[in-house]
């Protein structure tokens, strides 16, 4: 038997789209074209081909309104409008199907179901063929016959429906599906049916009288309300029967020989590349024909030309575990292993060196005493500014650019790794860098190129120096804190067990919820969801009048300090007694820096116990730790960008901004502002920056949502310039699809294109916050560069060692204290001119704790 596959194309595309759209994950290619439905569509077609092994194959699509709409204007009116992002993908889906060797059909005035029904009728005529219809639409079940089955798709599975399984499910034959719909109707297609008759009653009637005609022929035998409904809505029933019947004589070529499946065409892979489906290409195992990569293994090399290089390391580069380095240009392709790495003398000349992750590389050069200049280009920074999703290893970038030869070296973890694989892989990555050395830079607009050359590239050298220098740690302080915390946790554990009347895992949310809300009957402050209790901080903070809850919160805080810091930081101390964190320059979408291994930006400040961790961070030369912190920089940037005259006036007159806001909102004098008024004003000042909702403010201020909304409305009515600025910013973001900082940093906000309201709201908050937070980050980065350059120019021994959002931390020599303080304050406060002054708070002590 020859197998024919008949596919409901609309159904597959809708399923593919909504599988990701509801979560806000609208996949797009680098040009911004939505591709999430296409991605799922291709994968589903490949799965169908692999599972069904078809001889013949076709896909049917709807094409506008049909004869059913002419009969019934509101046919399918109950359906939501097709999202624009999905509409855009339909023409491409048809083109992709064609290049996969699958013929597509659509015709004016008919639905995809009718086209499939016409082909199914053709299959029924010829004993040589059997057919499988693929869809999740139950309407198509009426086409089941001895030669036609339906593969009915479910969320994560499917059911094969043939004549037997259909009868076992419904107790009627497949053609009677039309009679069933004529009685029960179909809300998705807006088919009325008999009002008040559901599936259960409809099936009972059909089991007894077989057909719709049979039911009405025996109407006098039917009792009660069912009879009344059937009589009242008889016209609707027969009209529904007509609407629900799939038409099987569409004027279309149904010669099955014309839909023979012969596999993908030569156009398939180029089309996948155009829409950047490189993971599908990789999954299919289809590779372009590539020239064999010729290379040499060398001890050293002399180069007087520009070149690209890629350094392969095993693990954290601060561990200095180098595998080797690949070097490539048009004339040379070579590999130098770790034993000869330190001999290299090719990085300190006037030639341009192209690489990926320059910060990692120059940090390694420092460890190995390799001289280097600043004539470098970095693909990781260029692609980051283009809003690419950046990974530590270049393999991800090569995959989205269509290069499949540079897979990640997960091989390193295997014992049977061949050295040749490492060499080829490393050189292939260097070759990719060389082949694309100018491609990404040219894609940057003029603002982004300036941002790259003036801020991001110079900052790389600053961050490398900070990482290499590290932070001096007093191990004694950490060990003492570790011991103190252990003792406090032991006491707290006994107290909590006594109050609970039993022992349990205090850090287990499930066990804690059972103890608090079942055993101790503490009233749960919210509606219970999924028959389980949350013991998150926002829940427990509402119950601090219960002694056990207060102690549990303290226990959690101390346990986190113990594991993450008192013990956790010790693990990161290197042989030089320092912690060498890694500053991530290409992680956040706002341009802010982050820190890992360990995260030094996350050391607690809200509790005294948390602050005490900073006692371990000390000067390395019996000098000082200096902390310089921008005062309310985001509010100052906000005042400048929104041109809010009241805020600008307050900052220029050196007033307390939260007191000033309270005065304006509550219409009181400065002397009449209470601490509560100031606290509320502070919450809304910072909340406005992040697009806070009335619900969010109500949670922050512990007031009801109505009061919070009135508070926000009052704020915006008081500062009309701010309201106009925010509305203008959101409008531009929707129109352009992105927002920018004052320095030209662009953030694409795909969330604004999402059909889900909650996700769009999230996108609006990003649009409001990014220009402010991003500009603040850019100002701090610029200050870091200028401070670093002046330190170098004056040959100071003091070092910048930590960056935490708006704060810079320095390890200062005693004899350089005054000059460092002067440089830092002058540079940070004058690095960029706003309509309001930039202010910096400077504190000095023998540890970071004393300097805060």
């Amino acid at each position: 038997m020859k197998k024919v596959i008949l596919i409901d194309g609309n159904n597959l595309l809708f399923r593919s789209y909504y599988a990701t759209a509801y979560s806000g994950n609208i996949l797009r290619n680098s040009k911004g074209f939505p591709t999430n439905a296409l991605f799922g569509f291709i994968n589903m077609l490949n799965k169908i081909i692999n599972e069904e092994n078809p001889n013949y194959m076709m896909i049917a699509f709807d094409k506008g309104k049909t004869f059913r709409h002419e009969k019934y204007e509101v046919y399918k009116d109950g359906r939501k409008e097709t999202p624009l992002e999905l509409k855009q993908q339909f023409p491409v889906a048809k083109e992709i199907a064609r290049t996969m060797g699958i013929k597509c059909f659509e015709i004016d005035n008919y639905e995809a179901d009718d086209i499939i029904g016409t082909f199914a009728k053709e299959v029924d005529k010829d004993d040589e063929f059997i057919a499988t219809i693929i869809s999740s639409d139950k309407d198509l079940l009426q086409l089941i016959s001895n030669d036609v089955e339906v593969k009915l798709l479910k969320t994560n599975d499917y059911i094969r429906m043939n004549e037997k399984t259909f009868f076992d499910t419904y107790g009627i034959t497949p053609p009677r599906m039309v009679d069933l719909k004529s009685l029960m109707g179909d809300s998705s297609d807006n088919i009325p049916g008999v009002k008040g008759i559901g599936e259960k009653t409809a099936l009972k009637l059909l089991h007894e009288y077989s057909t719709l005609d049979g039911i009405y022929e025996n109407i006098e035998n039917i009792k009660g309300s069912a009879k009344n409904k059937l009589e009242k809505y008889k016209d609707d029933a027969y009209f529904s029967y007509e609407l629900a019947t799939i038409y099987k004589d569409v004027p279309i070529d149904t010669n099955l020989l014309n839909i023979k499946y012969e596999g993908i065409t030569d156009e398939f892979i180029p089309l996948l590349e155009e829409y950047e489906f490189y993971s599908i290409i990789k999954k299919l195992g289809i590779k372009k024909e590539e020239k064999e990569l010729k290379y040499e293994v060398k001890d050293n090399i002399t180069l007087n030309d520009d070149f690209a290089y890629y350094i392969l390391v095993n693990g954290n580069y601060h561990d200095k575990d180098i595998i080797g380095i690949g070097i490539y240009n048009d004339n040379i392709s070579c590999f130098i292993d770790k034993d000869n790495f330190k001999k290299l003398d090719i990085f300190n000349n006037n030639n341009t060196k192209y690489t990926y992750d320059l910060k990692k590389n120059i940090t390694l050069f420092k460890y190995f005493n390799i001289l280097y200049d600043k004539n470098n280009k970095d693909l990781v920074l260029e692609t980051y500014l283009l809003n690419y999703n950046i990974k530590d290893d270049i393999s991800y970038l090569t995959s989205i650019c269509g290069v499949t030869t540079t897979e990640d070296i997960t091989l390193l973890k295997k014992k049977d790794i061949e050295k040749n694989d490492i060499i080829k892989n490393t050189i292939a990555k260097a070759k990719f860098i060389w082949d694309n050395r100018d491609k990404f830079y040219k894609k940057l607009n003029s603002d982004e190129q300036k941002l790259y050359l003036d801020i991001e590239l110079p900052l790389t050298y600053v961050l490398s120096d900070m990482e290499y220098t590290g932070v001096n740690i007093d191990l004694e302080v950490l060990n003492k804190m570790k011991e103190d915390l252990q003792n406090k946790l032991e006491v707290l554990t006994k107290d909590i067990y006594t109050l609970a009347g039993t022992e349990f895992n205090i850090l287990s949310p499930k066990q804690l919820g059972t103890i608090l809300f079942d055993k101790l009957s503490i009233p749960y402050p919210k509606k219970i969801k999924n028959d389980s209790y949350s013991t998150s901080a926002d829940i427990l903070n509402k119950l601090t009048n219960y002694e056990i809850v207060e102690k549990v919160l303290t226990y959690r805080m101390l346990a986190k300090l113990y594991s993450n810091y008192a013990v956790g930081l010790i693990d990161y101390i290197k042989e030089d007694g320092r912690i060498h964190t890694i500053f991530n320059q290409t992680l956040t979408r706002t341009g802010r820096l982050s820190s890992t291994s360990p995260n030094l930006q996350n050391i607690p400040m809200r509790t005294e116990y948390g602050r005490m961790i900073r006692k371990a961070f000390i000067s390395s030369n019996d000098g000082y730790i200096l902390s310089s912190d921008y005062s309310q920089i985001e509010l100052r940037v906000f005042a400048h960008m929104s041109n809010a005259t009241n805020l600008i006036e307050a900052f220029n007159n050196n007033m307390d901004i939260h007191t000033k806001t309270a005065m304006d909102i509550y219409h009181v004098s400065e002397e009449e502002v209470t601490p509560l008024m100031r606290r509320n004003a502070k919450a809304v000042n910072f909340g406005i920056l992040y697009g806070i909702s009335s619900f969010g403010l109500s949670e922050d201020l512990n007031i009801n949502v109505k009061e919070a909304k009135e508070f926000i409305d009052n704020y915006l009515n008081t500062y009309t310039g701010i309201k106009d600025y925010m509305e203008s910013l959101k409008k531009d973001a929707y129109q352009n699809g992105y927002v920018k900082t004052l320095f030209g940093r662009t953030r694409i906000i795909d969330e604004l294109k999402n059909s889900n309201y909650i996700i769009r709201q999230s996108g609006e908050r990003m649009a409001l916050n990014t220009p402010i937070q991003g500009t603040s980050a850019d100002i701090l980065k610029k200050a870091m560069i200028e401070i670093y350059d002046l330190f170098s120019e004056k040959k100071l021994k003091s070092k910048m060692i930590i960056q935490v959002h708006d704060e810079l931390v320095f390890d200062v020599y005693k004899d350089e204290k005054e000059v460092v303080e002067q440089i830092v304050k002058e540079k940070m406060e004058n690095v960029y001119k706003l309509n309001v002054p930039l202010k910096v708070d400077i504190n000095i002590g023998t540890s970071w704790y004393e300097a805060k």
Side-chain angles (χ1 to χ4, degrees):
M1 299 289 280
K2 297 173 182 176
K3 190 165 190 179
V4 181
I5 298 296
L6 309 173
I7 297 174
D8 182 352
N10 285 67
N11 186 268
L12 255 63
L13 271 171
F14 270 86
R15 286 173 65 84
S16 299
Y17 176 81
Y18 283 110
T20 54
Y22 283 131
S23 64
N25 183 23
I26 300 289
L27 183 69
R28 296 175 187 272
N29 66 7
S30 61
K31 297 174 184 175
F33 187 85
T35 57
N36 63 320
L38 298 173
F39 184 81
F41 183 70
I42 297 166
N43 281 324
M44 290 174 81
L45 289 180
N46 281 325
K47 187 176 181 184
I48 289 166
I49 291 165
N50 291 333
E51 289 179 351
E52 304 299 330
N53 194 22
N55 304 109
Y56 302 88
M57 195 172 184
M58 59 78 69
I59 303 177
F61 288 97
D62 294 340
K63 190 178 182 183
K65 293 194 173 182
T66 69
F67 67 89
R68 294 178 180 85
H69 291 91
E70 293 173 11
K71 293 181 179 180
Y72 188 45
E73 276 188 20
V74 293
Y75 179 62
K76 291 193 176 183
D77 266 12
R79 296 189 178 184
K80 287 195 301 182
E81 186 179 354
T82 303
L84 176 62
E85 299 100 324
L86 177 54
K87 285 180 181 177
Q88 291 173 307
Q89 297 178 68
F90 266 86
V92 182
K94 295 164 191 173
E95 183 65 9
I96 285 173
R98 184 187 67 76
T99 66
M100 291 181 76
I102 308 167
K103 194 162 184 181
C104 296
F105 293 85
E106 57 183 342
I107 185 168
D108 289 326
N109 213 33
Y110 297 97
E111 293 182 55
D113 290 5
D114 300 320
I115 298 170
I116 290 172
T118 303
F119 271 94
K121 181 180 177 182
E122 191 68 21
V123 170
D124 283 330
K125 289 179 185 177
D126 196 326
D127 291 339
E128 283 188 54
F129 297 94
I130 56 171
T132 299
I133 297 168
I134 297 179
S135 177
S136 62
D137 186 356
K138 290 183 179 180
D139 291 358
L140 291 161
L141 295 176
Q142 64 185 271
L143 299 175
I144 292 173
S145 67
N146 187 50
D147 297 318
V148 178
E149 67 173 6
V150 174
K151 189 175 185 178
L152 196 64
L153 303 176
K154 300 293 183 181
T155 303
N156 294 310
D157 204 354
Y158 60 84
I159 302 171
R160 284 192 184 274
M161 299 289 280
N162 54 31
E163 288 181 316
K164 181 180 183 305
T165 52
F166 183 90
F167 188 83
D168 291 344
T169 302
Y170 294 101
I172 56 177
T173 59
R176 300 284 72 81
M177 191 69 186
V178 184
D179 304 74
L180 179 62
K181 285 195 72 172
S182 69
L183 292 167
M184 62 181 281
D186 186 343
S187 59
S188 67
D189 287 344
N190 209 28
I191 294 176
V194 175
K195 192 173 182 181
I197 298 287
E199 184 179 40
K200 186 176 178 181
T201 303
L203 284 172
K204 184 179 178 183
L205 290 168
L206 291 173
H207 290 162
E208 191 165 354
Y209 303 112
S210 298
T211 65
L212 185 65
D213 285 341
I215 290 169
Y216 279 102
E217 286 167 6
N218 293 278
I219 193 72
E220 296 305 322
N221 297 328
I222 299 170
K223 307 297 181 187
S225 62
K227 178 182 179 181
N228 296 334
K229 292 169 185 172
L230 287 165
E231 287 179 331
K232 184 176 180 181
Y233 297 107
K234 181 177 180 180
D235 288 345
D236 283 352
Y238 276 98
F239 184 59
S240 298
Y241 187 95
E242 190 177 351
L243 288 174
T245 301
I246 291 176
Y247 188 72
K248 300 179 186 177
D249 294 299
V250 174
I252 201 166
D253 178 11
T254 56
N255 185 345
L256 297 176
L257 298 179
N258 291 336
I259 61 169
K260 187 172 183 180
Y261 177 68
E262 295 178 332
I264 63 172
T265 70
D266 291 341
E267 300 167 272
F268 181 50
I269 298 303
L271 200 58
L272 291 184
E273 290 175 336
E274 181 181 345
Y275 289 95
E276 299 171 10
F277 293 129
Y278 301 115
S279 62
I280 295 177
I281 296 173
K282 186 175 179 181
K283 188 176 178 182
L284 293 173
I286 301 169
K287 291 186 178 181
K288 288 182 176 179
E289 189 175 333
E290 295 178 357
K291 293 179 181 178
E292 186 180 351
L293 188 61
K294 303 288 185 183
Y295 65 89
E296 298 176 86
V297 178
K298 295 196 171 188
D299 294 338
N300 203 350
I301 186 173
T302 300
L303 264 178
N304 296 316
D305 302 315
D306 297 348
F307 65 93
Y309 69 96
Y310 186 84
I311 302 176
L312 187 66
V313 299
N314 192 11
N316 184 336
Y317 56 87
H318 285 290
D319 294 328
K320 306 180 281 291
D321 189 3
I322 293 171
I323 307 299
I325 179 169
I327 300 167
Y328 190 93
N329 66 14
D330 292 330
N331 300 312
I332 191 163
S333 173
C334 72
F335 179 84
I336 295 172
D337 65 24
K338 60 182 177 182
D339 295 326
N340 294 296
F341 181 78
K342 64 182 70 174
K343 297 178 185 177
L344 290 176
D345 58 358
I346 57 175
F347 296 100
N348 190 31
N349 52 42
N350 292 321
N351 302 321
T352 304
K353 279 76 67 178
Y354 299 89
T355 191
Y356 186 92
D357 198 349
L358 177 62
K359 177 169 64 67
K360 172 191 77 175
N361 298 341
I362 57 180
T363 306
L364 285 168
F365 294 161
K366 288 176 179 141
Y367 282 128
F368 287 90
N369 297 314
I370 294 172
L371 296 176
Y372 64 93
D373 59 32
K374 290 191 176 182
N375 197 9
N376 295 282
K377 298 290 180 68
D378 189 1
L379 261 64
V380 75
L381 296 177
E382 294 168 5
T383 49
Y384 169 63
L385 290 174
L386 288 168
N387 282 273
Y388 281 70
N389 186 8
I390 298 303
K391 307 286 185 183
D392 289 341
D393 189 274
I394 197 175
S395 299
Y396 181 78
L397 181 61
T398 66
S399 69
I400 65 174
C401 290
V403 179
T404 56
T405 55
T406 57
E407 296 177 2
D408 199 358
I409 296 288
T410 49
L411 302 165
L412 289 173
K413 296 175 183 175
K414 297 181 180 178
K415 291 180 180 177
D416 58 348
I417 175 67
E418 292 287 337
K419 186 173 181 180
N420 281 348
D421 291 333
I422 294 174
I423 293 170
K424 286 179 182 177
N425 184 287
T426 310
I427 296 173
K429 291 178 179 181
K431 180 180 184 299
F432 172 83
I433 294 168
W434 179 256
D435 291 344
N436 294 275
R437 59 193 180 278
D438 296 318
K439 171 184 172 182
F440 301 110
Y441 180 76
K442 287 177 180 176
K443 285 186 177 183
L444 297 169
N445 63 40
S446 58
D447 283 343
E448 290 164 342
Q449 287 181 356
K450 184 173 174 56
L451 186 66
Y452 168 73
L453 293 173
D454 292 351
I455 293 183
E456 294 298 351
L457 196 57
L459 183 69
T460 292
Y461 299 92
V462 181
L463 296 176
S464 172
D465 191 68
M466 292 167 69
E467 289 186 8
Y468 177 75
T469 300
V471 186
N472 198 37
I473 301 296
D474 189 332
L475 186 56
E476 250 184 70
V477 170
L478 288 181
N479 281 327
K480 186 177 185 310
M481 186 167 285
K482 175 181 167 185
E483 188 179 331
D484 289 347
L485 287 169
Q486 271 181 318
N487 293 335
K488 286 181 171 63
L489 286 168
E490 286 173 11
V491 172
L492 271 173
T493 300
K494 289 175 183 176
D495 289 347
I496 291 168
Y497 287 168
T498 300
L499 291 166
T502 186
E503 294 187 6
F504 65 101
N505 183 352
I506 300 169
L507 295 178
S508 165
K510 186 174 182 180
Q511 291 184 35
L512 179 62
T514 301
I515 292 293
L516 296 180
F517 306 116
D518 287 337
K519 187 176 187 300
L520 299 179
S521 300
I522 293 174
Y524 191 68
K526 283 189 176 182
K527 186 178 178 181
I528 299 172
K529 292 183 179 179
N530 303 321
D531 297 323
S532 63
Y533 301 111
S534 168
T535 57
S536 60
D538 66 313
I539 294 289
L540 296 190
N541 281 332
K542 298 179 191 297
L543 303 168
T544 51
N545 54 317
Y546 292 91
E547 186 181 0
I548 188 171
V549 174
E550 191 174 10
K551 287 185 180 291
V552 165
L553 286 169
T554 304
Y555 182 93
R556 281 183 178 177
M557 181 263 293
L558 295 180
K560 183 178 179 180
L561 288 175
Y562 177 81
S563 60
N564 289 6
Y565 303 106
V567 174
L569 288 177
I570 292 173
D571 293 337
Y572 285 103
I573 300 174
K574 302 293 184 184
E575 60 274 9
D576 60 0
R578 297 166 183 257
I579 285 175
H580 298 267
T581 189
I582 294 174
F583 289 103
N584 298 312
Q585 195 177 349
T586 58
L587 183 65
T588 69
R589 292 170 70 184
T590 60
R592 267 191 167 189
L593 298 172
S594 66
S595 163
T596 55
S597 303
N599 183 358
L600 296 185
Q601 296 186 342
N602 202 31
I603 294 176
M605 273 295 289
R606 292 185 178 181
T607 66
E608 179 59 21
Y609 281 122
R611 285 191 290 273
M612 285 174 66
I613 294 291
R614 299 183 179 219
K615 287 186 176 182
F617 291 72
I618 61 173
S619 172
S620 58
N621 50 73
D622 293 324
Y624 303 102
I625 294 294
L626 182 147
S627 166
S628 57
D629 198 353
Y630 273 121
S631 171
Q632 301 171 337
I633 186 172
E634 290 190 5
L635 279 173
R636 292 171 190 270
V637 169
F638 180 57
H640 172 88
M641 294 184 76
S642 64
N643 200 27
T645 53
N646 292 37
L647 296 180
I648 291 171
E649 179 189 349
F651 280 125
N652 284 333
N653 291 326
N654 204 27
M655 287 184 69
D656 177 82
I657 192 66
H658 306 309
T659 299
K660 170 63 175 168
T661 301
M663 290 166 58
D664 292 340
I665 291 176
Y666 291 108
H667 306 293
V668 295
S669 67
E670 186 172 354
E671 293 74 24
E672 293 174 298
V673 174
T674 65
L676 179 61
M677 288 178 179
R678 186 184 181 279
R679 184 173 76 87
N680 290 350
K682 182 178 180 180
V684 76
N685 268 336
F686 284 112
I688 288 293
L689 295 181
Y690 297 94
I692 197 169
S693 65
S694 50
F695 174 79
L697 187 63
S698 71
E699 290 282 295
D700 288 348
L701 298 182
N702 198 23
I703 57 178
N704 65 48
V705 176
K706 184 180 178 183
E707 288 177 298
K709 185 178 184 307
E710 289 174 356
F711 201 90
I712 292 173
D713 289 344
N714 194 10
Y715 181 97
L716 294 175
N717 289 332
T718 300
Y719 301 124
T720 53
I722 290 176
K723 186 176 182 179
D724 293 343
Y725 163 74
M726 291 168 66
E727 291 304 317
S728 173
L729 195 59
K730 285 192 286 187
K731 181 182 176 183
D732 288 347
Y734 272 110
Q735 184 175 326
N736 299 325
Y738 61 82
V739 292
K740 285 191 170 191
T741 70
L742 289 179
F743 290 80
R745 184 182 302 277
T746 303
R747 178 179 183 177
I748 294 170
I749 306 180
D750 288 331
E751 289 82 355
L752 294 174
K753 300 172 184 175
N754 200 283
S755 56
N756 185 302
Y757 172 77
I758 294 173
I759 294 168
R760 284 202 311 278
Q761 287 286 96
S762 169
E764 288 184 6
R765 288 193 292 275
M766 293 174 194
L768 292 173
N769 174 246
T770 296
I772 297 155
Q773 191 178 97
T775 296
S776 302
D778 290 339
I779 288 172
L780 185 71
K781 286 178 175 180
K782 199 167 186 301
M784 291 172 71
I785 295 164
E786 292 192 8
I787 292 168
Y788 174 81
D789 286 347
L790 195 52
F791 274 24
S792 300
E793 181 186 319
K794 290 183 175 292
K795 295 183 170 51
L796 297 181
K797 296 170 289 185
S798 300
K799 292 283 189 177
M800 190 187 314
I801 54 172
I802 303 174
Q803 182 272 341
V804 182
H805 306 315
D806 306 329
E807 176 190 8
L808 296 177
V809 181
F810 298 82
D811 188 345
V812 181
Y813 277 72
K814 278 185 178 179
D815 60 345
E816 295 178 351
K817 176 177 172 291
E818 285 75 20
V819 69
V820 167
E821 188 173 354
Q822 180 186 350
I823 289 172
V824 170
K825 187 172 180 64
E826 194 277 329
K827 287 297 180 186
M828 289 183 73
E829 290 189 342
N830 295 286
V831 68
Y832 190 78
K833 294 299 178 187
L834 299 173
N835 291 337
V836 298
L838 289 170
K839 291 290 183 183
V840 173
D841 297 323
I842 290 184
N843 293 287
I844 298 175
T846 56
S847 69
W848 194 8
Y849 175 84
E850 290 185 6
K852 278 302 287 182

